[in-house]
Amino acid sequence: MNALKKARDLFWRQGFESTSMSELVTMLGLASARIYAAFGSKEDLFREAILDYEAHEGSFATHALEEERSIFAAMERILQQAITLYTQPDGPKGCMVVASATNCSAANSSISEWLTQHRKARTASLIERLRRAQQEGELGADCDPEALGDFFATFLHGLSVQARDGISTQRLQDAAQSALQLLKQQMASGKN
C-alpha cells in the first residue's frame, strides 16, 4: 500500500484533527521532513487523501448516476454500494468525507468548508439526476427532485454515521429498502 493510501485510511478512521503528524510518520514509515517534502503539509496530504478516496472507493455514486439507465437502479446501486463500503470488515467505517467533517474545529474552518463543498456537490449530482428522471417521465410532475435529492443525501450521510456506530449491514439494508420505497412511490405517481 502506498503512502497516500496509508494516510487516507488513517484520516478516514480518525479524521483530520484527530490524526497527529507523529501517527502519520509511524503509519507511513517516513520522517516528517519527507512527508512535508512529498505533500507540503498535513492539510495538503489530507486533501490529497480525500481526492484519492473520491476517485476510488468513494466514486461509486458517480458511476451509478452515470451508468444506470433508470433512477431506481441508480439509487438502489448507490445505497447498496454505500452500505458495502461503509461496513467493510477490515477497513475504515462510513464515508470518509462525512466522517472527516464531524471533527473540525474553527481553527480548521478551511478544511470544514472544503468538505462541505464536496458534500454539496454530491447532493447536487443526486438532484440533477432526479430532475433528469422527472424530465424523462420516470418521476411524476408533482415530485420535488430537490427535496428528494436532499432526502437521499441525508440518508447517505446517515448510513455513514450508523455504519461507524456499528449498526449491522442487515439493518442498514433494511433501512435502504424503506428509502427505496419512497422512490417507488414517486415513480408510481409519474405513471398516473
Side-chain angles (χ1 to χ4, degrees):
M1 184 182 293
N2 70 32
L4 180 58
K5 293 205 183 303
K6 288 178 182 178
R8 181 206 60 201
D9 286 356
L10 186 59
F11 283 130
W12 191 350
R13 281 187 180 90
Q14 298 182 182
F16 175 73
E17 287 191 5
S18 298
T19 301
S20 69
M21 213 41 215
S22 63
E23 288 173 309
L24 287 166
V25 165
T26 301
M27 177 62 72
L28 276 56
L30 300 172
S32 59
R34 289 190 63 202
I35 294 172
Y36 288 122
F39 298 102
S41 68
K42 178 183 160 187
E43 182 175 329
D44 291 338
L45 175 55
F46 176 76
R47 288 176 188 262
E48 281 194 50
I50 289 285
L51 294 175
D52 182 76
Y53 168 82
E54 289 180 330
H56 297 98
E57 292 85 353
S59 68
F60 63 89
T62 300
H63 291 294
L65 292 172
E66 292 171 355
E67 296 166 5
E68 295 296 338
R69 296 188 62 170
S70 79
I71 190 60
F72 188 85
M75 295 309 298
E76 182 177 44
R77 179 174 160 188
I78 288 169
L79 296 180
Q80 290 308 312
Q81 289 181 337
I83 293 166
T84 299
L85 175 63
Y86 299 169
T87 61
Q88 57 186 329
D90 297 325
K93 303 292 185 244
C95 169
M96 184 180 182
V97 177
V98 172
S100 297
T102 59
N103 61 5
C104 282
S105 67
N108 290 305
S109 60
S110 65
I111 287 282
S112 180
E113 180 55 33
W114 186 72
L115 291 168
T116 296
Q117 294 310 313
H118 285 252
R119 290 190 309 279
K120 284 181 176 180
R122 171 57 57 223
T123 301
S125 71
L126 294 171
I127 292 168
E128 179 184 327
R129 181 62 181 88
L130 287 160
R131 281 191 178 126
R132 190 176 101 209
Q134 188 177 47
Q135 291 165 356
E136 294 172 353
E138 287 187 273
L139 299 172
D142 61 339
C143 175
D144 182 346
E146 186 172 25
L148 196 56
D150 286 340
F151 168 80
F152 276 103
T154 301
F155 189 81
L156 280 166
H157 296 160
L159 284 176
S160 174
V161 173
Q162 293 287 79
R164 285 181 73 88
D165 287 348
I167 302 301
S168 73
T169 300
Q170 186 60 56
R171 281 181 58 193
L172 296 179
Q173 288 172 342
D174 291 344
Q177 289 307 309
S178 294
L180 290 169
Q181 285 302 315
L182 174 66
L183 182 58
K184 278 185 183 177
Q185 291 168 2
Q186 296 296 317
M187 293 176 73
S189 73
K191 294 185 172 99
N192 292 337

